[in-house]
Amino acid sequence: MASEGNAMFDAGQGADSFIQSLPASAVVEYRQTDDTVGDARLIIESSQRWAHRSVNAALVYRNWYLGKRIAEEELKGESRAEYGLETIKKLSSGLTQLYGKGFGRQELYKLASSWLSRR
């Protein structure tokens, strides 16, 4: 399930195989010196940096596709106020119930507006 430049974990593939499919520098920095604590620190901090970058990239994609779904599929690419307001209200309520904060009407409108301005 790995594609060039964007490796994705495939549970059937196994973690070892997945990790081996990535260039070593893509995930963590590793070295073996006389300073075990320093080496462990390098592994931990470089893996944290990789995790942060991965999460940020996933959030960009999530927001892009949410904006697209709202704008194109739900609002039909138009700003029909009454229809759009009801759609956003329902979506906001459902997502907030499932995931908590971060999916208010204003946030969802921003996602849709952002997608519309960049398509």
Side-chain angles (χ1 to χ4, degrees):
M1 185 181 228
S3 63
E4 189 172 324
N6 183 19
M8 296 180 60
F9 180 71
D10 177 359
Q13 178 183 12
D16 289 341
S17 180
F18 169 72
I19 289 172
Q20 290 171 359
S21 73
L22 296 170
S25 61
V27 182
V28 298
E29 294 178 55
Y30 178 83
R31 69 173 176 224
Q32 188 173 1
T33 67
D34 292 337
D35 181 9
T36 305
V37 172
D39 294 348
R41 181 179 175 197
L42 178 68
I43 292 166
I44 292 166
E45 290 177 0
S46 64
S47 65
Q48 287 174 332
R49 283 191 301 274
W50 185 72
H52 291 141
R53 284 191 304 270
S54 298
V55 167
N56 288 340
L59 290 174
V60 167
Y61 281 109
R62 179 202 72 181
N63 292 344
W64 176 260
Y65 285 116
L66 280 173
K68 177 181 173 121
R69 177 75 169 111
I70 294 165
E72 279 193 336
E73 313 250 346
E74 293 294 326
L75 302 177
K76 308 297 184 212
E78 303 171 20
S79 43
R80 299 181 303 187
E82 195 173 304
Y83 175 76
L85 179 60
E86 193 58 36
T87 299
I88 293 290
K89 278 183 180 179
K90 285 181 181 179
L91 184 58
S92 174
S93 176
L95 292 176
T96 300
Q97 190 173 29
L98 287 169
Y99 303 108
K101 293 182 181 183
F103 297 100
R105 287 183 295 191
Q106 282 187 317
E107 288 87 352
L108 297 179
Y109 274 119
K110 286 179 187 176
L111 293 176
S113 294
S114 178
W115 187 85
L116 285 168
S117 71
R118 290 178 173 85
R119 63 184 172 141

